[in-house]
Amino acid sequence: MKPAKRPTVHDIAAAAGVSRGTVSRVLNGGYVSAEARAAIETAMSDLGYVPNNAARALKMRRSQAVAFVALEPHSLFLDDPNIGAIMLGANAALSLADHQMVSLVVESARDTERVARYLSGGFVDGAIVVSARTKDPIIKVISDLSLPAAFVGHPPELDQHIPFVGIDNVGSARAITEHLRSTGRRRIGMIAAALDRDSGIDRLTGFRSALGDLFDEDLVADVPHYDYGSGVKGMRDLLEREPAIDGVFAASDAIAAGALEVLREAGRSVPGDVAVAGFDDSTWAVRTQPQLTTVHQPAKEIGSCAAQVVLRQLRGEPTDAGGQLLPTPLVLRDSA
Amino acid sequence: MKPAKRPTVHDIAAAAGVSRGTVSRVLNGGYVSAEARAAIETAMSDLGYVPNNAARALKMRRSQAVAFVALEPHSLFLDDPNIGAIMLGANAALSLADHQMVSLVVESARDTERVARYLSGGFVDGAIVVSARTKDPIIKVISDLSLPAAFVGHPPELDQHIPFVGIDNVGSARAITEHLRSTGRRRIGMIAAALDRDSGIDRLTGFRSALGDLFDEDLVADVPHYDYGSGVKGMRDLLEREPAIDGVFAASDAIAAGALEVLREAGRSVPGDVAVAGFDDSTWAVRTQPQLTTVHQPAKEIGSCAAQVVLRQLRGEPTDAGGQLLPTPLVLRDSA
DNA sequence: TACGGATGTGTGAACGTGCACACGTTAGGA
DNA sequence: TCCTAACGTGTGCACGTTCACACATCCGTA
């Protein structure tokens, strides 16, 4: 027993007493008489017709869909509060252009292969890739297919012709560190995270350049992730190495939140004894006590900007291969 | 200038000196001689051939893809820490069965229509739907298409034949409330959230039934969302209404975290003066001080279970239309 | 020798679309 | 009157694949 075979253009044409071509025209625009149009439309709603996108995609070489590829989703979905906002921003922009966003999750090598097949299978016209490492095999697939794409937050060094969207991590880190200095702090430390990624390295670079001669390698705690637990660990480390520390730049808001907890336990007031600055302006920033001074990451804008980049390529307009950095205003709250 | 037209089976066949049928056979299994197979395989790698899924889906009426439909993603992605884990669980299960998960985000009415087109367009074989309201138009689309589907966390009342996967909110809430009673608490309140959803209502129902005669309507604070801010607001409310309160069941861990903050400001010790219990066993639960006693939501299992349900339907096996509730063990930590 | 099965290969017909083209009709201007 | 243009409609083909079928070859056995 078949599951109620779906009607096709043929069925509609037969029911309305016209030919398939005419049905196609009322769907895609063209010259159709009013009566034919009416007959076809009633036939369509009677039979519950929906066009078969698979056939359309095959014929048109266009699926009206763009992939949102999330690599390393474990860390992303569970730790990074930005990924959701980026997705929402991308979805909104694609939606406006009548495109469907389909997000693909890559967890394992097995996934990589399957997603590669999916991307090359004609189901999507383009791709937005989040958090790729430079050597990720997905990059090669995309570049081999010359699939219109945009990378988020991470310039793909190898393939200069794939544009990316991100923020100026170096500049933002420098700016907020300078803010810490401007409040009179002298012994400023940093909890640096994810030094295996560009974002992590760049934030440390910015911190170092803002301090200049004041920079002291001993005041940098190196933690693996951007999460709360790493913040706890990093702050304990810093306090032990330099009890007189009076300023901390945390590489993320979650880290800053962990640092605040440690400082509270140690009896240091914030910002009285120690000024603390975060990064991201995520939901963490307003949940802590005191609320965090931090760097605003325009997550939604990043998403929508990446979508625009892909859409432009789809329209055949050339894009600035170099990529695009979005502004990251400082958000001054109570912690620094 | 075309973007380097992709090779098709025809091209491979021509390059290898065989017919399309033989190429198809090495792809899908069948009798092929060793030499033909070798010739075809070198031709494939030389030309960089990848099968066109759109054409395959058209012919086979199978796309090997399942949709993960996220409705109301604003609240979901930003507040609910479970959605990510559910996605990951579903993805893992689908991946094992060699299916692709594509997740679709529905934000607006415009999205609804587009996603409906997508679902009915033959790009997916089934759907997992998260957090649908009973009257959501997507439900109608799915049921009209008789698309194999599974609902997460919310039994769709109207269409009894669509199976769902969830947890026993009533029973879990009762169990954790009974735990609060067993520690000798007498004035137990609840911060109830999202009373416009089944999950919210059920948690309140379980709380009430566990208390029996002890239940006091005044000790229920009603807040809109499952988030931290709501917890702050709800706890302030409760403290004002009943200063002698000695136990609180929060409808989520985020709410419990907010409640802890208020209790700390009010100078109450936890669990000394007031016992606090949460719900979800999310990352919140171990970030708070003290760590939360809570109800474990098996988010990953929920995701993989929903995927299994869809896969079973795809294989033509009948499913228990009733749905499926997963166990939710109590996690005893320090807060109660 | 002839036959049947196993193995290997090629051919044509779909799947459901959109588009180019051909065809008809009508109206208007030269 | 004829040519052109705009409108309206039907038909064939292509998209890239899989599948059913036909055909060819080889081997073992009756």
Side-chain angles (χ1 to χ4, degrees), chain A residues 86-103:
Chain A
I86 294 176
M87 277 184 60
L88 260 31
N91 184 62
L94 291 173
S95 175
L96 240 53
D98 246 303
H99 278 247
Q100 177 62 53
M101 181 182 90
V102 313
S103 75

PDB file of all heavy atoms in Angstrom, chain A residues 86-103:
ATOM      1  N   ILE A  86      24.351  33.277  15.536  1.00  0.00           N
ATOM      2  CA  ILE A  86      24.876  33.310  14.168  1.00  0.00           C
ATOM      3  C   ILE A  86      23.916  32.583  13.225  1.00  0.00           C
ATOM      4  O   ILE A  86      23.570  33.060  12.148  1.00  0.00           O
ATOM      5  CB  ILE A  86      26.280  32.676  14.101  1.00  0.00           C
ATOM      6  CG1 ILE A  86      27.279  33.526  14.895  1.00  0.00           C
ATOM      7  CG2 ILE A  86      26.749  32.541  12.659  1.00  0.00           C
ATOM      8  CD1 ILE A  86      28.670  32.938  14.975  1.00  0.00           C
ATOM      9  N   MET A  87      23.468  31.419  13.668  1.00  0.00           N
ATOM     10  CA  MET A  87      22.508  30.658  12.868  1.00  0.00           C
ATOM     11  C   MET A  87      21.249  31.478  12.602  1.00  0.00           C
ATOM     12  O   MET A  87      20.765  31.529  11.469  1.00  0.00           O
ATOM     13  CB  MET A  87      22.099  29.375  13.608  1.00  0.00           C
ATOM     14  CG  MET A  87      23.053  28.237  13.438  1.00  0.00           C
ATOM     15  SD  MET A  87      22.415  26.744  14.247  1.00  0.00           S
ATOM     16  CE  MET A  87      20.874  26.500  13.379  1.00  0.00           C
ATOM     17  N   LEU A  88      20.745  32.095  13.660  1.00  0.00           N
ATOM     18  CA  LEU A  88      19.522  32.877  13.511  1.00  0.00           C
ATOM     19  C   LEU A  88      19.726  34.027  12.535  1.00  0.00           C
ATOM     20  O   LEU A  88      18.866  34.305  11.694  1.00  0.00           O
ATOM     21  CB  LEU A  88      19.094  33.412  14.882  1.00  0.00           C
ATOM     22  CG  LEU A  88      17.979  32.654  15.608  1.00  0.00           C
ATOM     23  CD1 LEU A  88      17.958  31.181  15.297  1.00  0.00           C
ATOM     24  CD2 LEU A  88      18.052  32.897  17.099  1.00  0.00           C
ATOM     25  N   GLY A  89      20.867  34.685  12.633  1.00  0.00           N
ATOM     26  CA  GLY A  89      21.144  35.790  11.726  1.00  0.00           C
ATOM     27  C   GLY A  89      21.234  35.322  10.284  1.00  0.00           C
ATOM     28  O   GLY A  89      20.671  35.934   9.379  1.00  0.00           O
ATOM     29  N   ALA A  90      21.914  34.211  10.076  1.00  0.00           N
ATOM     30  CA  ALA A  90      22.049  33.676   8.725  1.00  0.00           C
ATOM     31  C   ALA A  90      20.688  33.256   8.187  1.00  0.00           C
ATOM     32  O   ALA A  90      20.342  33.541   7.039  1.00  0.00           O
ATOM     33  CB  ALA A  90      23.006  32.486   8.724  1.00  0.00           C
ATOM     34  N   ASN A  91      19.927  32.618   9.037  1.00  0.00           N
ATOM     35  CA  ASN A  91      18.613  32.149   8.607  1.00  0.00           C
ATOM     36  C   ASN A  91      17.729  33.314   8.189  1.00  0.00           C
ATOM     37  O   ASN A  91      17.041  33.251   7.178  1.00  0.00           O
ATOM     38  CB  ASN A  91      17.941  31.376   9.733  1.00  0.00           C
ATOM     39  CG  ASN A  91      16.618  30.788   9.310  1.00  0.00           C
ATOM     40  OD1 ASN A  91      16.554  29.955   8.416  1.00  0.00           O
ATOM     41  ND2 ASN A  91      15.551  31.246   9.925  1.00  0.00           N
ATOM     42  N   ALA A  92      17.774  34.382   8.973  1.00  0.00           N
ATOM     43  CA  ALA A  92      16.931  35.538   8.662  1.00  0.00           C
ATOM     44  C   ALA A  92      17.296  36.113   7.297  1.00  0.00           C
ATOM     45  O   ALA A  92      16.422  36.399   6.478  1.00  0.00           O
ATOM     46  CB  ALA A  92      17.077  36.590   9.744  1.00  0.00           C
ATOM     47  N   ALA A  93      18.597  36.248   7.051  1.00  0.00           N
ATOM     48  CA  ALA A  93      19.032  36.837   5.784  1.00  0.00           C
ATOM     49  C   ALA A  93      18.666  35.940   4.607  1.00  0.00           C
ATOM     50  O   ALA A  93      18.192  36.409   3.571  1.00  0.00           O
ATOM     51  CB  ALA A  93      20.536  37.079   5.809  1.00  0.00           C
ATOM     52  N   LEU A  94      18.873  34.652   4.767  1.00  0.00           N
ATOM     53  CA  LEU A  94      18.552  33.728   3.680  1.00  0.00           C
ATOM     54  C   LEU A  94      17.049  33.701   3.439  1.00  0.00           C
ATOM     55  O   LEU A  94      16.589  33.631   2.305  1.00  0.00           O
ATOM     56  CB  LEU A  94      19.055  32.324   4.024  1.00  0.00           C
ATOM     57  CG  LEU A  94      20.573  32.179   4.037  1.00  0.00           C
ATOM     58  CD1 LEU A  94      20.975  30.812   4.564  1.00  0.00           C
ATOM     59  CD2 LEU A  94      21.134  32.382   2.640  1.00  0.00           C
ATOM     60  N   SER A  95      16.317  33.741   4.520  1.00  0.00           N
ATOM     61  CA  SER A  95      14.867  33.717   4.429  1.00  0.00           C
ATOM     62  C   SER A  95      14.358  34.887   3.607  1.00  0.00           C
ATOM     63  O   SER A  95      13.475  34.736   2.760  1.00  0.00           O
ATOM     64  CB  SER A  95      14.284  33.756   5.842  1.00  0.00           C
ATOM     65  OG  SER A  95      12.888  33.847   5.802  1.00  0.00           O
ATOM     66  N   LEU A  96      14.936  36.048   3.848  1.00  0.00           N
ATOM     67  CA  LEU A  96      14.535  37.238   3.108  1.00  0.00           C
ATOM     68  C   LEU A  96      14.771  37.054   1.615  1.00  0.00           C
ATOM     69  O   LEU A  96      14.048  37.596   0.798  1.00  0.00           O
ATOM     70  CB  LEU A  96      15.340  38.437   3.607  1.00  0.00           C
ATOM     71  CG  LEU A  96      14.517  39.578   4.188  1.00  0.00           C
ATOM     72  CD1 LEU A  96      13.579  39.076   5.262  1.00  0.00           C
ATOM     73  CD2 LEU A  96      15.440  40.648   4.750  1.00  0.00           C
ATOM     74  N   ALA A  97      15.804  36.317   1.267  1.00  0.00           N
ATOM     75  CA  ALA A  97      16.126  36.097  -0.137  1.00  0.00           C
ATOM     76  C   ALA A  97      15.450  34.826  -0.639  1.00  0.00           C
ATOM     77  O   ALA A  97      15.812  34.296  -1.684  1.00  0.00           O
ATOM     78  CB  ALA A  97      17.629  36.013  -0.320  1.00  0.00           C
ATOM     79  N   ASP A  98      14.490  34.329   0.137  1.00  0.00           N
ATOM     80  CA  ASP A  98      13.751  33.136  -0.246  1.00  0.00           C
ATOM     81  C   ASP A  98      14.643  31.917  -0.432  1.00  0.00           C
ATOM     82  O   ASP A  98      14.460  31.125  -1.343  1.00  0.00           O
ATOM     83  CB  ASP A  98      12.970  33.383  -1.533  1.00  0.00           C
ATOM     84  CG  ASP A  98      11.482  33.338  -1.244  1.00  0.00           C
ATOM     85  OD1 ASP A  98      11.033  32.310  -0.721  1.00  0.00           O
ATOM     86  OD2 ASP A  98      10.797  34.337  -1.501  1.00  0.00           O
ATOM     87  N   HIS A  99      15.586  31.812   0.441  1.00  0.00           N
ATOM     88  CA  HIS A  99      16.421  30.619   0.428  1.00  0.00           C
ATOM     89  C   HIS A  99      16.221  29.848   1.722  1.00  0.00           C
ATOM     90  O   HIS A  99      15.900  30.417   2.759  1.00  0.00           O
ATOM     91  CB  HIS A  99      17.899  30.990   0.271  1.00  0.00           C
ATOM     92  CG  HIS A  99      18.307  31.243  -1.134  1.00  0.00           C
ATOM     93  ND1 HIS A  99      19.173  30.432  -1.821  1.00  0.00           N
ATOM     94  CD2 HIS A  99      17.947  32.208  -2.000  1.00  0.00           C
ATOM     95  CE1 HIS A  99      19.329  30.892  -3.034  1.00  0.00           C
ATOM     96  NE2 HIS A  99      18.604  31.977  -3.177  1.00  0.00           N
ATOM     97  N   GLN A 100      16.427  28.579   1.623  1.00  0.00           N
ATOM     98  CA  GLN A 100      16.280  27.712   2.769  1.00  0.00           C
ATOM     99  C   GLN A 100      17.653  27.472   3.386  1.00  0.00           C
ATOM    100  O   GLN A 100      18.595  27.141   2.688  1.00  0.00           O
ATOM    101  CB  GLN A 100      15.664  26.385   2.311  1.00  0.00           C
ATOM    102  CG  GLN A 100      15.519  25.372   3.383  1.00  0.00           C
ATOM    103  CD  GLN A 100      14.587  25.876   4.450  1.00  0.00           C
ATOM    104  OE1 GLN A 100      13.467  26.281   4.177  1.00  0.00           O
ATOM    105  NE2 GLN A 100      15.067  25.870   5.685  1.00  0.00           N
ATOM    106  N   MET A 101      17.745  27.638   4.700  1.00  0.00           N
ATOM    107  CA  MET A 101      19.000  27.280   5.356  1.00  0.00           C
ATOM    108  C   MET A 101      18.887  25.868   5.909  1.00  0.00           C
ATOM    109  O   MET A 101      17.955  25.557   6.629  1.00  0.00           O
ATOM    110  CB  MET A 101      19.310  28.242   6.503  1.00  0.00           C
ATOM    111  CG  MET A 101      20.623  27.904   7.196  1.00  0.00           C
ATOM    112  SD  MET A 101      20.983  28.995   8.583  1.00  0.00           S
ATOM    113  CE  MET A 101      20.193  28.113   9.912  1.00  0.00           C
ATOM    114  N   VAL A 102      19.816  25.020   5.566  1.00  0.00           N
ATOM    115  CA  VAL A 102      19.824  23.692   6.168  1.00  0.00           C
ATOM    116  C   VAL A 102      21.136  23.567   6.916  1.00  0.00           C
ATOM    117  O   VAL A 102      22.196  23.804   6.361  1.00  0.00           O
ATOM    118  CB  VAL A 102      19.690  22.571   5.126  1.00  0.00           C
ATOM    119  CG1 VAL A 102      18.578  22.867   4.161  1.00  0.00           C
ATOM    120  CG2 VAL A 102      20.959  22.351   4.376  1.00  0.00           C
ATOM    121  N   SER A 103      21.044  23.248   8.189  1.00  0.00           N
ATOM    122  CA  SER A 103      22.300  23.200   8.907  1.00  0.00           C
ATOM    123  C   SER A 103      22.736  21.768   9.109  1.00  0.00           C
ATOM    124  O   SER A 103      21.956  20.883   9.430  1.00  0.00           O
ATOM    125  CB  SER A 103      22.203  23.961  10.218  1.00  0.00           C
ATOM    126  OG  SER A 103      21.479  23.229  11.145  1.00  0.00           O
TER     127      SER A 103
END
